[in-house]
Amino acid sequence: SEFDVQGLELDAAILAWGDDFRLERGDAGRWEWSNALAKRYMRKATPESPLDLRRNAYRVLMTRGRAGLVIWVPPDPTLDATYEYFAAMGMKELR
């Protein structure tokens, strides 16, 4: 979790992308980051901005590798847009 790696620096990191933070079509028809599925993880206390907390958690996880980062996006149709986003940003696909 983002709490376990806080302050930790690794030579290389592998991040398994979850369905709790993904791209999906918003009301206006454009792609937006969403944490709608993360609601199943929330406890009784609701944070002020759950989306900002989720975004920050992934930011922390993505910045732990000094020499590199591998992001594994599971083959799930709900994550196809997220995968395409990373591909469009120039991330290389490992085979």
Side-chain angles (χ1 to χ4, degrees), residues 25-62:
R25 287 234 186 250
D27 295 334
R30 52 173 221 218
W31 291 102
E32 299 172 345
W33 286 101
S34 170
N35 69 334
L37 290 179
K39 291 181 176 149
R40 65 181 179 223
Y41 303 115
M42 290 183 191
R43 297 189 179 128
K44 291 180 182 177
T46 56
E48 205 170 295
S49 177
L51 182 59
D52 285 344
L53 287 176
R54 184 71 47 196
R55 182 180 295 122
N56 190 53
Y58 275 87
R59 182 196 59 80
V60 168
L61 294 170
M62 292 175 74

Side-chain angles (χ1 to χ4, degrees), residues 11-94:
D11 289 334
I14 300 173
L15 172 60
W17 204 268
D19 64 358
D20 58 342
F21 187 57
R22 63 188 183 168
L23 279 175
E24 54 183 42
R25 287 234 186 250
D27 295 334
R30 52 173 221 218
W31 291 102
E32 299 172 345
W33 286 101
S34 170
N35 69 334
L37 290 179
K39 291 181 176 149
R40 65 181 179 223
Y41 303 115
M42 290 183 191
R43 297 189 179 128
K44 291 180 182 177
T46 56
E48 205 170 295
S49 177
L51 182 59
D52 285 344
L53 287 176
R54 184 71 47 196
R55 182 180 295 122
N56 190 53
Y58 275 87
R59 182 196 59 80
V60 168
L61 294 170
M62 292 175 74
T63 59
R64 297 302 97 185
R66 289 184 295 210
L69 170 69
V70 173
I71 298 176
W72 177 68
V73 180
D76 180 346
T78 64
L79 292 171
D80 285 350
T82 303
Y83 174 85
E84 293 299 326
Y85 173 80
F86 288 128
M89 296 297 291
M91 295 191 89
K92 298 176 186 172
E93 183 176 359
L94 299 177

